[in-house]
Structures are given as C-alpha cells and as structure tokens.
Amino acid sequence: MKSSSTGPHDQRCLYPCGRPLLEFPSPLRLIVLGVTGSIGTQTIDLVKRNPDKLQVVAVSCRNRVSEMVSILAELASACPDHEAPLVAVTDPAAHAMAAALPGVGARLLAVGTTGLLEAVTEADNAHCLVNGLVGAVGLEPTLAAAERGLRIALANKESLVVGGRLVVDAVRAGGAEVLPVDSEHAAIAQCLSGRSEEEIGRLILTASGGPFRETGTEELVRVTLEQVLDHPTWNMGPKITVDSATLLNKGLEIIEAHHLFGLPYDRIDVVVHPGSIVHSLVEFVDGALLAQLGTPDMRLPLQYAVSGEKHWPLETGRVDLLETGSLLFEAPDPERFPCLRLAREAGVAGGSAPIVLNAANEVAVAALLDGRIRYVDIAHIIEDSLATEGPAEVKDLATALAVDNQARRTAAGHIDRRSVAGE
Ligand code: MG
C-alpha cells in the first residue's frame, strides 16, 4: 500500500464520502454569490426549472447591477411565491447605484466583502451557499458558510487553494458540508456514490487541453487574447477560460482535489481528454476504474450539488456514444504548459505557496485581459512570484490574507518589470 504524506486525522475526506449528507426541508434556500456570472446565471436557471425544490434568499454581484436586476425580475416572474432575495453589491460605485434603485435599496446589504459575509450570515434560514465567486475573494464567504453549518455547493476552487486546511477545519467544526460544483470533482463525487474513502486508489482529473493543445512552443509566444478566450468545449467566464488555456486551472483543481478527497498529490493524476465527455475518473484499490460521462454543461454538476447528490431531470444535451465513436486521452505536456507543473509543486510545498501561486495568477490574468502582457508571460510571473515569496506557514485567515496581498504586490512588480523590459 502506498504511504500517505498526511497524518491519520487528514485521512478523512472533506467531501462526505460514504457519510450521510445534511438534510434540509424543501425548497432548499440558496445564497447565490456571483449571480451575474456563469455559475450564478446557471443556478438561477435551475431555480426557475425547479421552483418547488429551490429558492433564492440572497444574491451578490460585483458591479453588473442592471444585469442583476433583470435576473431578479425574471426570477420573480418565474417564481411568484418566493420572497425577494437580499442583495449584496461589492463594488462601491455600483453599490451606490443599487442603493438608489427602488426595488433593490431596501434589501441591499453592506458594500465590499462585508456584504458578501452578510449575505451568508443574514439570509433567513438559508440552507446552501452556491459560491460562484471568481478568485480568492470567495474564501471568506466559504468560511462563514462553514461556521454556519450550511451545505456549500463550491464552484470557487480558490476557497480550497487559498484556504486549504482553514476551510477543512472550519467545515468540520461547523458541521457544514462541501459538495463540489467543479465538473471534475463533481464527476469524482458521482463515482464515489455509496463508496468509502478506503476504497479510493487514485483520482484521474481530465483536462480538455484548452485552445492550445496542439499549438507549438514558438507559436504560443504570439497567440492573441482572442485565441486565448476561444475555449473549444466549455463556455465559461473569462478568468477561468484563460486558466484553462494555461492549464493553471487544472493545477488549481489538483490542489482542490487534494483537500476535498484527502489524498496525497502522488495519487492525483491529470490526463488530457479533448472531447470533454469523460469529466474525471476514480481508480479504486482493486484497479476498477469508474468514470462519469456527460455533455459539457455546468448545470449538471451544479444541480447534483444543490440537490444533495440527486439526479433530477435536466433538459440538456445527451452524449451520443455512436456519434462520439472513440475517446481520446493523452499526457499533458509540461514543457508547453508550465503552469500545471508550478501548481502541482505549490500544492506539494503547501503553506503559503498555493496562495502565492493563485494571487500571482489572478494578477497576471487581469494584466493579460488588459492587454498588458502576453499569454506566455503568465507562467513567468507566477514562477518569479513564487521565487520572490519564500514558503511560509499559514495558521489562520489573517496570515492567508496577508500572504495573498503581498503576493499580489510582488506579481504586479514583476509585470511592471516585464512591461518596462518591452518583453
Ligand atoms: Mg473544472
């Protein structure tokens, strides 16, 4: 039997593998953070399709107030029996705008992260947080939901990348549960249905390979932002689409899987699977391999999480095996996709390293979207930032946030130096 790099206490999955899920009355009362984003709008779609089973009690957006207002108006007409949800707007200017809106002002929470935390703590009888926030900003609401003992439908992988053990401990202490929304981890959860964690041998995460799966090293230097944002199979927000092009997203998912399923890194593998039909696999200790297949539609993993791991009816595309023909798998190329290696190394190093990795990437991706750096610079900025910020221990939230802040400044410095150098 392979040895584990973690102690006996860590052997227990954060994911409730083989354990009963929390029970909630119907309809399940949802807090939807990031309601104007890809995860948020798809959650609202599920609520409209299942108004007897799901209800929204609080939402948040950053600055897309008018989009949020129309989402809420459509929700109200689809679900006339549901009361209007509380509203958090984090951007100060957008918050002021929302405060002036007659239908919204009365239900508006505080500005900034405080508003996100109020959405989690003040929504009446909330049962479930759907965390669809992008980036490290998702960590504190996850911790607040953990303390409140909620079901956490987690699409914000940064909660586990940045929070790590803090989240694991808070979920256990608060009697909460984390059900993954990330399609790969939701696939693993489906493969683990009715299993115990002692049966798990190895996890295999699939990666689509992104738009540059077959692009040569020299060509990668010249790819445009448009090409970066043109994902072959999944339709997602811009940040995660960039992360999918660098494979940094798959690296974050390795770290996410490590914390969720309590496995050491040498038992979490990645294969490139361009069709995005096999969403991930579990190899059991007897060598049996289970996979979950489906069309690339985030509503499936979302619904599996919020429903408490039920297969409710869902009108979505069906996989036609005869049309699919064969399934292609290949090894990821560490030379062309250094972000995957950097993420795995940061995960193994632990402590502050995953926080620095994530912060540097967030800053680098923002710079790419602003047209300030090239696609290939992202990996350099992450690597330089990890080299500048030595490893440190992270015992509490304050330390995690301080490391995150410092790493963002460091990454910004590396970006400026690259811009000045005219690279
Ligand atoms: Mg994913």
Side-chain angles (χ1 to χ4, degrees):
M1 192 173 166
K2 280 184 182 173
S3 67
S4 162
S5 63
T6 47
H9 173 72
D10 303 293
Q11 288 305 296
R12 207 167 148 85
C13 282
L14 170 62
Y15 170 73
C17 186
R19 285 177 269 144
L21 299 186
L22 298 175
E23 283 185 29
F24 297 104
S26 195
L28 190 82
R29 294 166 67 87
L30 305 175
I31 302 151
V32 184
L33 299 186
V35 75
T36 56
S38 174
I39 293 294
T41 51
Q42 294 183 82
T43 305
I44 298 296
D45 180 68
L46 292 177
V47 176
K48 287 184 198 163
R49 289 163 186 268
N50 301 280
D52 53 329
K53 294 182 181 135
L54 302 172
Q55 180 178 356
V56 179
V57 294
V59 299
S60 85
C61 75
R62 188 161 61 89
N63 59 6
R64 286 145 69 176
V65 173
S66 53
E67 277 178 62
M68 182 189 69
V69 168
S70 49
I71 287 168
L72 293 182
E74 282 172 28
L75 182 64
S77 67
C79 313
D81 301 340
H82 296 182
E83 62 198 283
L86 297 175
V87 169
V89 178
T90 54
D91 176 79
H95 186 271
M97 198 170 95
L101 295 175
V104 175
R107 292 174 285 117
L108 188 62
L109 301 166
V111 71
T113 306
T114 310
L116 296 177
L117 297 178
E118 284 181 1
V120 176
T121 56
E122 291 187 15
D124 266 351
N125 305 316
H127 305 133
C128 174
L129 165 65
V130 178
N131 192 337
L133 296 170
V134 177
V137 67
L139 170 60
E140 287 184 79
T142 292
L143 289 172
E147 279 163 25
R148 211 180 156 183
L150 302 185
R151 169 174 297 161
I152 303 168
L154 190 65
N156 177 258
K157 62 196 74 178
E158 294 87 347
S159 287
L160 285 170
V161 172
V162 176
R165 283 233 58 92
L166 301 176
V167 173
V168 174
D169 292 344
V171 167
R172 286 189 184 138
E177 75 187 0
V178 175
L179 301 181
V181 171
D182 214 345
S183 61
E184 295 76 3
H185 307 75
I188 289 166
Q190 289 171 69
C191 296
L192 291 177
S193 178
R195 304 293 164 195
S196 69
E197 59 194 278
E198 292 76 25
E199 295 175 84
I200 308 172
R202 183 168 69 110
L203 306 179
I204 304 169
L205 303 174
T206 54
S208 71
F212 306 133
R213 185 173 65 86
E214 295 180 302
T215 309
T217 311
E218 279 145 49
E219 252 180 285
L220 282 176
V221 177
R222 292 188 298 274
V223 296
T224 64
L225 181 56
E226 227 169 63
Q227 289 172 292
V228 174
L229 292 176
D230 187 19
H231 196 277
T233 50
W234 289 97
N235 184 11
M236 308 173 289
K239 199 274 179 175
I240 189 168
T241 303
V242 175
D243 289 349
S244 298
T246 59
L247 293 200
L248 191 276
N249 180 56
K250 207 53 53 183
L252 298 181
E253 289 178 355
I254 294 174
I255 300 172
E256 182 185 10
H258 164 77
H259 291 298
L260 260 179
F261 301 108
L263 287 184
Y265 285 95
D266 60 4
R267 284 163 61 191
I268 305 170
D269 291 337
V270 170
V271 296
V272 172
H273 167 52
S276 297
I277 288 175
V278 176
H279 294 309
S280 277
L281 310 92
V282 177
E283 186 186 278
F284 292 91
V285 286
D286 60 358
L289 197 57
L290 288 192
Q292 186 257 324
L293 284 69
T295 51
D297 184 332
M298 282 309 294
R299 291 176 308 166
L300 206 155
L302 247 176
Q303 178 169 282
Y304 190 70
V306 296
S307 67
E309 307 206 321
K310 302 278 194 306
H311 290 287
W312 289 347
L314 182 63
E315 286 167 39
T316 179
R318 298 292 189 255
V319 173
D320 182 333
L321 288 175
L322 298 181
E323 196 178 299
T324 304
S326 57
L327 299 169
L328 178 65
F329 299 98
E330 44 186 52
D333 180 349
E335 298 299 318
R336 288 185 302 131
F337 299 102
C339 285
L340 185 61
R341 169 182 60 81
L342 290 169
R344 186 182 278 280
E345 287 171 1
V348 171
S352 61
I355 305 178
V356 174
L357 170 96
N358 178 70
N361 180 59
E362 283 188 31
V363 173
V365 170
L368 177 83
L369 293 172
D370 283 350
R372 293 171 54 220
I373 59 168
R374 300 168 306 172
Y375 164 85
V376 289
D377 292 328
I378 294 176
H380 295 303
I381 288 155
I382 295 172
E383 190 150 33
D384 291 350
S385 301
L386 282 163
T388 311
E389 300 296 316
E393 204 183 336
V394 178
K395 284 202 205 122
D396 52 28
L397 177 63
T399 313
L401 297 178
V403 169
D404 177 79
N405 256 313
Q406 175 57 38
R408 279 167 204 274
R409 283 196 294 273
T410 300
H414 286 303
I415 288 169
D416 289 345
R417 270 188 289 285
R418 278 184 181 270
S419 309
V420 170
E423 282 189 297

